[in-house]
Amino acid sequence: MKSFIVTFIFLFTLLLLGGCKKNSAISDTKKNTSKNEIQYAKGLEIYHYHGYSVLKITHPWPGTTSSFTYILKEKNGIIPDSLQQFTSISVPIESLVVTSTTHIPALELLGVENTLVGFPNTDFISSPKTRKRIDSGQVKEVGTNETLNTEILIDMAPDLIVSFGMNNKNTSIDNLQKSGLKVFFNGDWNEQSPLGKAEWIKFFGALYGLDAKAKDIFSTIEKEYQNTLALAKKTKQKPTVLSGAMYQDQWFVPQGESWMALFLKEAQSNYLWANTTGSGSLTLPFETILEKAQKAEFWIAPGDFSSLKEMNNSNPHYAKFEAFKNKKVYSYALHKGAKGGILFFEWSSTRPDWVLKDFIAIFHPELVPHHQPYFFEKLD
């Protein structure tokens, strides 16, 4: 999470869960009237039945046809024979290991952060609540995302490990499952719509039997987002916007169908690469960026820089852009946790309404004159 590339490409390298079997027809669910309660998330489905729920991850990473089914068994619930092939756990769970900082806000909003017992690279966690538990030794280091520490996790024996990945090649996950530990795959990072990412709080709500609470929390976020979106539509001005920064002689900008580009569009700005296809990052030479964006009014998310001086020291060519000269460069890197973790990476997926409000305050300050930034602030 130390570069702009990580922000927009999300190069996760965890392995596919060997113990999770690909979906087959679930005949028993067809006999029920339960409907998928998920509205925005494309890779998540939740079905509730008497005594158990079915949790389906249908889009775990880009370009895959694999999907995964998990069964959540309630107390005294009976799982049908046709579902016995799938990984199951008893809910509510009481101890959990997660592997992405984007999972931390969901736990805290649901009030179950005290069940978190392990995390890889704990310095990345910024939330004061969870940092307090880390500092007191209640949340242990469990290695890195690529190589989770099998010995520590076996000794810890959490009810569940929530992992994420980009393909099906992760021997550490395979070893954990062979040791009898339960691992669920989470695909929230693969969602491209702002509300689609946020809706994954229902994934965690299902694990704790807090479905109604998760639904209420998401409904509040959804309402705030829609209200803010309606506010943005009151303006007819669309300032031009540049995003991204240089890395190893190439400039990385979010593609037009990416999560960040959608925010910029909904904040009523003219993002200069909005018409490109794809949901990752576009790699372009500096000359191409300068030709198209030299006179852009705003520059959003220029990597992890915390000042204009730092940017200029890194690459003097940045000073050629009008947004830099006019000090209209806005960064997410100023809001950090005690160990240097960036709050934007942790909370923006769960609170897209905060991101949208920040952008509207930047592009159309007259619409939200008293707004205090959550993530994005002007660089001095």
Side-chain angles (χ1 to χ4, degrees):
M1 296 185 183
K2 295 183 179 180
S3 71
F4 171 78
I5 297 177
V6 177
T7 311
F8 295 109
I9 305 180
F10 294 100
L11 293 179
F12 301 119
T13 55
L14 288 180
L15 301 129
L16 177 67
L17 309 181
C20 301
K21 300 177 177 62
K22 292 184 180 180
N23 286 333
S24 60
I26 303 174
S27 59
D28 291 79
T29 61
K30 294 179 181 179
K31 299 176 183 178
N32 289 273
T33 58
S34 178
K35 295 182 180 180
N36 177 29
E37 67 175 45
I38 303 302
Q39 181 180 358
Y40 297 95
K42 301 300 184 182
L44 175 65
E45 297 177 10
I46 302 177
Y47 302 89
H48 296 294
Y49 302 96
H50 181 68
Y52 68 95
S53 296
V54 176
L55 186 65
K56 298 176 68 175
I57 311 303
T58 60
H59 195 52
W61 59 77
T64 183
T65 58
S66 297
S67 59
F68 304 93
T69 296
Y70 309 112
I71 310 302
L72 311 182
K73 180 181 177 296
E74 300 168 18
K75 185 178 181 180
N76 299 323
I78 299 176
I79 299 176
D81 290 342
S82 63
L83 302 182
Q84 294 292 337
Q85 61 178 307
F86 300 112
T87 300
S88 66
I89 60 169
S90 297
V91 294
I93 61 173
E94 296 180 352
S95 60
L96 177 71
V97 169
V98 299
T99 54
S100 171
T101 57
T102 61
H103 302 157
I104 302 300
L107 300 180
E108 294 190 356
L109 290 173
L110 289 168
V112 295
E113 67 273 7
N114 289 340
T115 65
L116 182 67
V117 295
F119 187 87
N121 298 317
T122 56
D123 283 354
F124 282 131
I125 296 178
S126 302
S127 170
K129 281 186 179 180
T130 303
R131 281 238 59 87
K132 184 176 180 179
R133 299 192 72 247
I134 293 170
D135 295 339
S136 65
Q138 294 173 292
V139 178
K140 297 181 180 180
E141 279 278 358
V142 294
T144 66
N145 286 334
E146 295 80 9
T147 55
L148 297 174
N149 192 308
T150 303
E151 292 183 2
I152 290 177
L153 287 167
I154 291 175
D155 183 63
M156 190 182 296
D159 289 344
L160 182 66
I161 300 169
V162 174
S163 184
F164 64 90
M166 193 173 179
N167 52 45
N168 63 347
K169 299 176 181 179
N170 190 324
T171 54
S172 64
I173 296 296
D174 292 340
N175 291 334
L176 290 170
Q177 292 179 317
K178 290 175 182 178
S179 300
L181 294 176
K182 299 293 180 70
V183 185
F184 277 17
F185 201 65
N186 181 292
D188 61 355
W189 70 276
N190 199 42
E191 300 287 342
Q192 292 306 320
S193 76
L195 289 176
K197 282 185 183 291
E199 196 170 18
W200 277 78
I201 192 172
K202 295 177 182 179
F203 171 95
F204 290 98
L207 299 180
Y208 290 92
L210 296 174
D211 301 272
K213 186 172 184 179
K215 183 177 180 180
D216 287 344
I217 292 170
F218 177 72
S219 293
T220 298
I221 295 170
E222 178 189 22
K223 182 179 179 180
E224 288 296 317
Y225 191 89
Q226 299 291 6
N227 288 344
T228 305
L229 189 61
L231 183 65
K233 291 179 179 179
K234 292 181 178 181
T235 183
K236 295 182 180 179
Q237 302 299 320
K238 292 187 177 183
T240 52
V241 177
L242 163 68
S243 186
M246 292 284 289
Y247 182 80
Q248 295 182 347
D249 299 325
Q250 292 292 314
W251 196 297
F252 290 80
V253 299
Q255 292 176 315
E257 298 169 324
S258 67
W259 183 71
M260 179 60 71
L262 288 174
F263 273 118
L264 296 175
K265 176 182 178 181
E266 296 196 331
Q268 298 300 302
S269 72
N270 177 19
Y271 172 52
L272 294 175
W273 279 268
N275 293 328
T276 60
T277 58
S279 57
S281 289
L282 190 64
T283 306
L284 297 170
F286 171 79
E287 292 76 15
T288 300
I289 299 292
L290 183 65
E291 181 181 1
K292 188 170 185 175
Q294 184 173 13
K295 294 185 178 181
E297 297 173 68
F298 294 93
W299 186 347
I300 299 296
D304 292 353
F305 297 111
S306 57
S307 70
L308 296 176
K309 181 180 180 181
E310 187 179 344
M311 288 181 65
N312 191 62
N313 290 340
S314 173
N315 191 329
H317 292 306
Y318 289 151
K320 296 180 179 180
F321 292 89
E322 293 296 319
F324 186 97
K325 295 176 182 178
N326 296 330
K327 297 183 178 181
K328 291 187 176 182
V329 183
Y330 291 80
S331 174
Y332 52 69
L334 299 179
H335 294 260
K336 298 180 179 179
K339 295 290 185 177
I342 296 175
L343 285 166
F344 175 78
F345 294 140
E346 189 167 315
W347 276 90
S348 58
S349 294
T350 304
R351 295 307 304 253
D353 53 321
W354 293 354
V355 180
L356 186 59
K357 286 177 183 177
D358 275 1
F359 284 160
I360 290 175
I362 293 169
F363 305 138
H364 312 289
E366 71 282 358
L367 297 178
V368 283
H370 305 296
H371 177 76
Q372 295 296 317
Y374 295 100
F375 305 116
F376 285 88
E377 291 202 49
K378 182 186 291 188
L379 293 185
D380 294 325

